[in-house]
């Protein structure tokens, strides 16, 4: 999510990653023939994923200067498909908020 003021200056940005991992920790048992990275029973399953049809809601308080007339909020849900961070957007929404005195 990014928030920009009426001049196009980014005033806030936040990313959240969801993921499901199978990790090997030192305290886990040794795997088959010491191949613990390949033995699923020697893994710890960590589920930080977003469940299908479930909503995750975040609330942010963003301090604005008193001369802020409007902000543009853009939220993008992307799929990261490579270890180097390559991603593709799945859904994007933009909203302009105008402030009146």
């Amino acid at each position: 999510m990014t928030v920009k003021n009426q001049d196009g200056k980014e005033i806030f940005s936040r990313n959240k990653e969801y993921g499901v991992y199978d990790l090997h920790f030192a305290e886990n048992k040794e795997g088959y023939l010491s191949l613990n990275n390949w033995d699923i029973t020697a893994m710890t399953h960590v589920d930080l994923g977003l469940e299908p049809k479930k909503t995750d809601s975040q609330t942010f308080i963003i301090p604005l200067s008193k001369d802020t007339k409007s902000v543009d909020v853009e939220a993008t849900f992307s799929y990261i498909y490579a270890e180097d961070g390559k991603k593709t957007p799945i859904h994007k929404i933009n909203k302009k908020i105008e402030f009146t005195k």
Side-chain angles (χ1 to χ4, degrees):
M1 179 182 85
T2 57
V3 179
K4 296 180 181 178
N5 68 9
Q6 68 272 1
D7 301 322
K9 181 182 175 192
E10 185 176 297
I11 57 175
F12 182 81
S13 179
R14 184 68 49 99
N15 288 319
K16 182 172 182 180
E17 284 190 23
Y18 301 93
V20 178
Y21 309 96
D22 289 309
L23 305 171
H24 182 270
F25 295 109
E27 64 270 9
N28 289 22
K29 69 176 188 167
E30 285 295 318
Y32 176 71
L33 297 176
S34 297
L35 297 173
N36 40 25
N37 287 334
W38 298 99
D39 182 1
I40 193 70
T41 66
M43 300 291 176
T44 298
H45 187 71
V46 180
D47 187 353
L48 303 173
L50 183 61
E51 295 294 325
K53 301 188 185 223
K54 297 284 182 175
T55 300
D56 183 21
S57 178
Q58 304 285 316
T59 301
F60 303 103
I61 298 172
I62 305 167
L64 302 172
S65 62
K66 64 181 179 180
D67 62 335
T68 303
K69 297 177 178 128
S70 66
V71 293
D72 291 307
V73 180
E74 180 180 283
T76 305
F77 185 79
S78 298
Y79 176 72
I80 301 172
Y81 60 88
E83 287 185 25
D84 63 357
K86 290 181 183 172
K87 59 186 172 183
T88 187
I90 303 295
H91 187 70
K92 184 186 288 189
I93 188 165
N94 294 303
K95 184 168 186 171
K96 183 172 188 144
I97 302 170
E98 296 194 28
F99 305 105
T100 59
K101 292 187 178 186

